[in-house]
Amino acid sequence: MLNNRRNFVFRVSIVINIAVLLYAAMHLSSNSTTGVDWVPMTVDGSERSAEFRYLNREEMRNYTDTRPPDSSVRILEESTSQKTPSTMPTTNKTASSTASLPDLEKKLTGLADAETSNVTVLEIDDEDALNPMTLAYLRTLLQCNDKDMPAQTLQRGEYWVLKNFVRADHGFIQCHESITYTTHAGFEFLDNVQPLVERWMAPVSLAIHAPGADMAPTVNSIRYLRDCLGNDLIKQFVTFHVFFSHKHVPSSIPNPDTFLQTPYNCTVKPPYDVNANSTYMKAKSLLYPVNVARNVAREAAVTHFILPSDIELYPSPNLVPRFLNMIARNAKPLSTSSKPRVFPISIFEVGAKVQVPSTKTELQAMLKNKTAIPFHKFVCPNCHNIPQGQQWINSSETSQMDVFHVGKRRGKFVHWEPIFIGTHQDPYYDERLSWEGKQDKMTQGYILCVKDYDFMILNNAFLIHKPGIKHYVKNTKRDTLASRQSLYIKNIIMPQLKTLFGKRNGCAL
Ligand SMILES: *[C@@H]1O[C@H](CO)[C@@H](O)[C@H](O)[C@H]1NC(C)=O
Ligand SMILES: *[C@@H]1O[C@H](CO)[C@@H](O)[C@H](O)[C@H]1NC(C)=O
Ligand SMILES: *[C@@H]1O[C@H](CO)[C@@H](O)[C@H](O)[C@H]1NC(C)=O
Ligand SMILES: *[C@@H]1O[C@H](CO)[C@@H](O)[C@H](O)[C@H]1NC(C)=O
Ligand SMILES: *[C@@H]1O[C@H](CO)[C@@H](O)[C@H](O)[C@H]1NC(C)=O
Ligand SMILES: *[C@@H]1O[C@H](CO)[C@@H](O)[C@H](O)[C@H]1NC(C)=O
Ligand SMILES: *[C@@H]1O[C@H](CO)[C@@H](O)[C@H](O)[C@H]1NC(C)=O
């Protein structure tokens, strides 16, 4: 038994050493840093921290990978082609991202005895950073494919999509090293971008619906966000896509290669600061194609993990490194469940005038004095009930991210519309549904249920809605659209989903 265990540690340690070698080689080959001392490898793992000293000094990758000197927006293709090294581990994309990690580990080590797979081989000193060892381990575990970010003009149903219209300056990002927040909006919601990015501090893929005359203020808003907010975070992290119906093509499409050359005149008020009733979309009574927007933003993300969310939901700080450290640690239930999984994040609202909480402890104090409440408590109290929601609120913040509870979208939670960290393997959103018609994420929820997804709720992470507690307001026009869409889902979409994905007891829309 003990022998077995030693043996396992030994083999895992070899695998990791190899992964690290490859990782190091990749970086050294693409970046001829001078003065790197090569420290000999050891195989028993005991000297691991010494092995990494040179990496820590010279190559410590600031996972945001900012590249100031050559950070002009159009530089990505070149840097990618240089950086796709032949030393990269060959990945056969057969391993589903949602496969349980011990399966991958077994594949790697040839070890059949899963009992021993909870041996901790990672040393994580700082949950808020990703050390080279963790990154190397993630790369091996996730087996994801790196992607390029070319600017493209594409058609998608009745929509034209300007994908990667204005790209973030973060340079080439490997698929395992960060998480992309994917989201969407009309330009009148872009005031949310700054608070969102300040808390996320990682890539954001943002699809903007800009039909007809909404194109000009959209472009001005992008320029204002990049040039006028006093820091470079939006430039660094946010990639903007623009889309519109072929029935509402803007009269002209400004060329980013040109308009990004000139700094924006920041003395004007923010172009997104308008009466929401004044947009072209409202003037023409267009519906908001929320699921086209969600899918455009999601598809363009270059990381393995994604957080598809609404732009008014601000994440708790340090979510990205803490989550990836949890994945790398691979403790239970991550290591024991073989079901596909997503990672829901609890959502709250706070009063209009209060400070958005940064830690769970702060949030708990605000829940106690009622300056924070569970999301949509006054709009639709049961829509966002989450399994063990009250226990989540009661339980104290811990030192590292873990899975709090594994729930299912069944029983009391059969209509649950969670916001979660997932991957590109998860089902897309039905593009026939509009935001005004409501229930726009239900079809995805149904598919997740039929596929028996585990909903691994995260313990310390949370999302806070843009400050201002919402109350129910009757909207007759929207109610009409909602009942029409509801019938459409029931009579047209549901039978199709049953044919395509099958049925499962307890699953409903
Ligand atoms: C990441 O890199 C940026 C720019 O190179 C630098 O300003 C920042 O301090 C770095 N962050 C860390 C955590 O090293
Ligand atoms: C990769 O996939 C090909 C075809 O699917 C298969 O023949 C080959 O054995 C796989 N290689 C590895 C290393 O799994
Ligand atoms: C796995 O972890 C559990 C609890 O953390 C521990 O009791 C058990 O001994 C570990 N198994 C092995 C083989 O290390
Ligand atoms: C910026 O706009 C203001 C107000 O419209 C104007 O007075 C100023 O001259 C402009 N600055 C530049 C550099 O164009
Ligand atoms: C927008 O229009 C609606 C309906 O015409 C009206 O109730 C609402 O107050 C308007 N909103 C603003 C910000 O003017
Ligand atoms: C509620 O609690 C938060 C966090 O402790 C505190 O900052 C805030 O001032 C409190 N507000 C009221 C009205 O008591
Ligand atoms: C949460 O805590 C409160 C007060 O400590 C307690 O009354 C309640 O039973 C707890 N609820 C759950 C579900 O643990």
Side-chain angles (χ1 to χ4, degrees):
M1 198 48 211
L2 199 68
N3 252 348
N4 251 349
R5 194 185 151 170
R6 276 204 67 82
N7 209 5
F8 175 79
V9 175
F10 178 73
R11 290 197 223 184
V12 167
S13 148
I14 291 182
V15 168
I16 289 172
N17 281 333
I18 291 170
V20 168
L21 263 179
L22 291 171
Y23 184 82
M26 255 158 64
H27 285 274
L28 295 175
S29 67
S30 63
N31 184 353
S32 53
T33 327
T34 51
V36 175
D37 303 324
W38 187 262
V39 181
M41 283 287 183
T42 57
V43 282
D44 69 5
S46 60
E47 308 271 332
R48 206 169 288 116
S49 43
E51 273 163 47
F52 285 101
R53 216 159 281 142
Y54 77 96
L55 281 173
N56 275 322
R57 201 179 65 233
E58 298 292 345
E59 281 290 307
M60 178 55 185
R61 246 169 109 90
N62 188 330
Y63 69 94
T64 58
D65 193 15
T66 52
R67 225 165 269 180
D70 58 358
S71 58
S72 102
V73 171
R74 298 276 145 177
I75 213 138
L76 279 168
E77 281 107 336
E78 293 156 46
S79 69
T80 326
S81 55
Q82 284 163 12
K83 287 218 71 165
T84 310
S86 51
T87 49
M88 207 182 284
T90 52
T91 54
N92 238 357
K93 229 1 291 180
T94 48
S96 150
S97 66
T98 50
S100 90
L101 298 184
D103 288 351
L104 296 175
E105 233 165 58
K106 269 185 260 166
K107 248 188 247 158
L108 290 167
T109 59
L111 194 81
D113 187 3
E115 300 288 42
T116 57
S117 66
N118 66 346
V119 175
T120 308
V121 290
L122 283 176
E123 288 160 16
I124 298 169
D125 302 328
D126 181 0
E127 292 293 330
D128 296 342
L130 292 162
N131 68 43
M133 160 97 160
T134 307
L135 284 168
Y137 195 56
L138 281 169
R139 179 135 199 114
T140 320
L141 285 176
L142 300 179
Q143 306 210 338
C144 52
N145 294 324
D146 292 330
K147 282 204 277 183
D148 220 350
M149 297 176 75
Q152 287 174 310
T153 301
L154 308 167
Q155 269 185 304
R156 179 175 196 115
E158 68 170 87
Y159 295 93
W160 283 102
V161 179
L162 311 181
K163 182 178 171 182
N164 295 319
F165 182 60
V166 172
R167 284 176 291 195
D169 291 358
H170 54 50
F172 180 60
I173 290 209
Q174 291 184 291
C175 57
H176 65 284
E177 70 184 339
S178 195
I179 307 178
T180 307
Y181 185 109
T182 74
T183 191
H184 57 88
F187 75 91
E188 72 274 23
F189 288 94
L190 295 182
D191 58 316
N192 293 292
V193 177
Q194 185 178 30
L196 169 62
V197 174
E198 282 174 354
R199 291 167 71 91
W200 184 244
M201 297 296 277
V204 174
S205 174
L206 169 55
I208 305 178
H209 181 228
D214 286 345
M215 185 69 183
T218 295
V219 165
N220 288 338
S221 296
I222 293 173
R223 296 180 62 190
Y224 187 90
L225 288 171
R226 288 171 58 94
D227 290 348
C228 302
L229 296 178
N231 66 46
D232 272 354
L233 292 178
I234 290 173
K235 258 188 189 161
Q236 282 302 329
F237 290 125
V238 185
T239 293
F240 297 89
H241 323 283
V242 171
F243 75 101
F244 39 80
S245 159
H246 66 75
K247 293 177 193 141
H248 299 277
V249 176
S251 58
S252 79
I253 314 269
N255 181 352
D257 287 333
T258 316
F259 68 71
L260 291 176
Q261 300 295 318
T262 328
Y264 198 65
N265 184 344
C266 297
T267 56
V268 297
K269 75 168 183 167
Y272 44 79
D273 186 7
V274 296
N275 180 333
N277 285 344
S278 70
T279 63
Y280 176 92
M281 188 183 101
K282 280 278 158 58
K284 299 283 174 184
S285 300
L286 305 183
L287 298 183
Y288 183 62
V290 63
N291 285 347
V292 176
R294 287 191 176 116
N295 290 344
V296 165
R298 224 192 86 165
E299 239 172 43
V302 299
T303 54
H304 174 80
F305 286 112
I306 47 182
L307 170 53
S309 183
D310 290 337
I311 197 164
E312 293 183 321
L313 297 178
Y314 309 157
S316 48
N318 291 313
L319 213 162
V320 172
R322 290 178 191 176
F323 178 86
L324 291 175
N325 278 321
M326 174 191 79
I327 293 293
R329 206 179 288 119
N330 197 25
K332 284 176 190 166
L334 294 172
S335 58
T336 47
S337 160
S338 56
K339 302 262 164 62
R341 74 267 305 251
V342 289
F343 300 89
I345 304 178
S346 310
I347 316 175
F348 299 88
E349 289 178 58
V350 297
K353 297 263 150 57
V354 308
Q355 182 81 26
V356 177
S358 291
T359 63
K360 181 171 178 184
T361 308
E362 236 174 280
L363 170 64
Q364 284 171 316
M366 294 177 67
L367 285 162
K368 216 165 233 158
N369 70 19
K370 305 272 193 302
T371 50
I373 58 167
F375 189 51
H376 279 181
K377 186 172 174 182
F378 299 133
V379 177
C380 176
N382 295 318
C383 297
H384 292 268
N385 266 353
I386 71 169
Q388 297 212 357
Q390 194 52 50
Q391 285 91 331
W392 189 95
I393 289 175
N394 270 10
S395 73
S396 304
E397 184 170 357
T398 58
S399 62
Q400 64 184 41
M401 192 175 290
D402 278 302
V403 174
F404 178 75
H405 172 71
V406 181
K408 291 284 183 183
R409 191 177 180 273
R410 289 203 283 254
K412 205 174 145 203
F413 308 104
V414 69
H415 302 302
W416 191 22
E417 281 191 278
I419 302 274
F420 50 75
I421 295 179
T423 73
H424 290 281
Q425 260 78 36
D426 303 329
Y428 278 90
Y429 304 92
D430 195 304
E431 298 191 3
R432 293 167 289 185
L433 304 179
S434 71
W435 175 80
E436 289 80 358
K438 300 189 181 171
Q439 300 189 323
D440 44 66
K441 285 195 299 216
M442 292 292 186
T443 60
Q444 190 208 40
Y446 175 79
I447 302 169
L448 294 174
C449 182
V450 169
K451 290 178 175 256
D452 203 19
Y453 265 66
D454 280 338
F455 290 80
M456 298 190 168
I457 298 160
L458 299 172
N459 63 350
N460 299 327
F462 55 88
L463 294 163
I464 300 286
H465 192 272
K466 175 184 178 176
I469 288 176
K470 270 197 204 164
H471 290 266
Y472 178 75
V473 185
K474 187 151 179 63
N475 179 337
T476 322
K477 194 171 162 213
R478 197 170 168 194
D479 290 346
T480 311
L481 289 165
S483 57
R484 201 185 304 156
Q485 182 148 298
S486 172
L487 279 178
Y488 183 77
I489 293 174
K490 187 160 148 248
N491 297 330
I492 310 287
I493 296 184
M494 260 319 267
Q496 296 176 350
L497 293 183
K498 285 181 175 156
T499 306
L500 286 161
F501 298 96
K503 292 183 249 187
R504 177 182 292 274
N505 264 348
C507 296
L509 270 183

